[in-house]
Amino acid sequence: MDIKKAMVIGAGQMGGGIAQVLAAAGIETYMNDVKQDIVDNRIAFITKLLDKNVAKGKNTEEEKAATLANLIPSVSLEDAKDCDIVIEAIVENMDIKSNVFKQLDTICKPSCVLASNTSSLPITEIAAVTNRPDQVIGMHFMNPVPVMKLVEIIRGLQTSDETYAAVKELTLRLNKLPVEVKDVPGFVSNRVLQIMINEAIYCLYEGVASVEDIDTVMKFGMNHPMGPLKLADFIGLDTVLAIMEVMYEGYGDCKYRPCPLLRQYVKAGWLGKKVGKGFYTYDD
Ligand code: CAA
Ligand code: NAD
């Protein structure tokens, strides 16, 4: 399958990164969100990242210009009508994602592949709301997308071999490392990672150590690039909670119960780096 045109839905931290790597790989990419200013701000952020890469000598001015020329702002899902693939990266909520997939199914051409960057939700269930479940697949990028090599590829029960092959090929074209994972809540990445993050939040909740000390233990004791509480802020505490809820419900096992402190932070709107406050405070 020759992928020439794509749409990424959700101009948040993940959607922005995914759109950037698609555009850099020569794919004309619609960057879609619900409001024009969200899309504009994300394209401005990508421009800054590309400027830094040019200053560091990692990219040329020509490569930067080519990437930006491939990014097309969009606030209408109708723009997906001529796309070869759509990658959804909106809020981690089944009802909201399902609604978008239902619309895409009617808008997109029959050959178009519909992928979700969901962190934990069942691909089989998302696929079932469309009339093309064989062309629906999970393409789980890691944050920050331009830096992290891994993409978990999740096949729903109905995903065809052709769809899987096309998405694996695209992943390699983006210079990423694909790993096939079964459609279980949280896949491999979050089934392992979020338990650690949730346990770190319990340590804080129980007063075992301070935010900084919990992170120091994991950073300097286990050589993690950042501590689990900093990483939770970086992912977004709303996303961390949503993933824990999906796994708690999906496995019915109390080891996935979200820490009450995590719920409280989300209720307070302390969602992490993207809003300037989570376990840490961020100025920029
Ligand atoms: N977008 C693009 N590039 C970014 C970036 C961003 N948001 N943040 C950092 N970078 C780049 C920097 O520009 C820098 O590039 P150069 O090497 O060219 O200079 C590079 O990353 C390293 O950045 P820094 O020197 O500023 O900081 P660092 O050495 O601490 O690295 C990090 C930053 C790569 C984020 C590192 O801390 C790290 O690997 N953290 C863990 C990330 C992780 O675990 N990601 C997975 C999260 S879970 C997930 O994604 C799945 C899910 O469903 C929730
Ligand atoms: P985010 O909050 O940064 O961005 C979400 C964006 O989606 C927002 O800009 C919002 O306006 C937009 N949006 C919401 N509903 C929309 C709709 N109907 N149409 C178009 N845009 C809509 O979230 P994020 O961290 O980028 O996460 C997005 C998805 O990626 C989630 O499913 C999340 O689980 C997954 N994910 C997140 C991470 C992470 O580290 N944050 C890593 C891998 C996967």
Side-chain angles (χ1 to χ4, degrees), residues 204-272:
L204 181 67
Y205 182 56
E206 291 167 10
V208 178
S210 67
V211 169
E212 290 78 9
D213 285 350
I214 291 165
D215 276 356
T216 299
V217 167
M218 298 307 289
K219 205 173 159 192
F220 294 95
M222 282 77 193
N223 253 357
H224 289 195
M226 51 176 38
L229 298 174
K230 176 68 72 67
L231 182 54
D233 272 0
F234 182 65
I235 291 167
L237 300 190
D238 50 341
T239 302
V240 172
L241 178 59
I243 297 167
M244 289 307 298
E245 299 274 30
V246 168
M247 296 197 296
Y248 190 35
E249 196 195 326
Y251 293 108
D253 187 329
C254 65
K255 75 180 171 189
Y256 300 104
R257 77 254 171 266
C259 178
L261 188 63
L262 173 62
R263 288 189 195 285
Q264 233 179 349
Y265 270 52
V266 172
K267 288 230 167 76
W270 296 352
L271 305 184

Side-chain angles (χ1 to χ4, degrees), residues 23 27-29 43 50 62-73:
I27 299 166
E28 217 180 314
T29 304
I43 292 181
L50 294 173
E62 291 71 30
E63 285 166 336
K64 175 190 139 188
T67 301
L68 290 176
N70 277 333
L71 280 176
I72 315 159

Side-chain angles (χ1 to χ4, degrees), residues 193-211:
L193 175 68
Q194 300 301 339
I195 289 264
M196 179 189 71
I197 289 178
N198 195 47
E199 208 54 37
I201 302 172
Y202 264 109
C203 285
L204 181 67
Y205 182 56
E206 291 167 10
V208 178
S210 67
V211 169

Side-chain angles (χ1 to χ4, degrees), residues 176-188:
K176 303 276 181 209
L177 178 70
V179 172
E180 186 183 348
V181 175
K182 288 222 169 83
D183 188 18
V184 298
F187 320 126
V188 171

Side-chain angles (χ1 to χ4, degrees), residues 27-84:
I27 299 166
E28 217 180 314
T29 304
Y30 288 107
M31 172 79 283
N32 175 279
D33 208 300
V34 286
K35 286 194 191 141
Q36 188 68 45
D37 64 321
I38 302 178
V39 178
D40 293 345
N41 286 342
R42 185 53 61 181
I43 292 181
F45 178 81
I46 295 171
T47 308
K48 265 198 212 153
L49 283 177
L50 294 173
D51 282 338
K52 266 203 235 162
N53 284 348
V54 172
K56 285 186 224 155
K58 284 175 79 180
N59 288 118
T60 63
E61 277 289 354
E62 291 71 30
E63 285 166 336
K64 175 190 139 188
T67 301
L68 290 176
N70 277 333
L71 280 176
I72 315 159
S74 160
V75 287
S76 167
L77 282 188
E78 292 292 331
D79 292 332
K81 62 182 182 303
D82 55 351
C83 287
D84 305 305

Side-chain angles (χ1 to χ4, degrees), residues 12-14 33 89-90 92 97 117 119 141 143 235 274:
Q13 50 183 347
M14 293 307 292
D33 208 300
I90 64 171
E92 188 73 349
K97 285 193 195 290
N117 182 52
S119 295
F141 289 83
N143 188 10
I235 291 167
K274 63 184 167 187

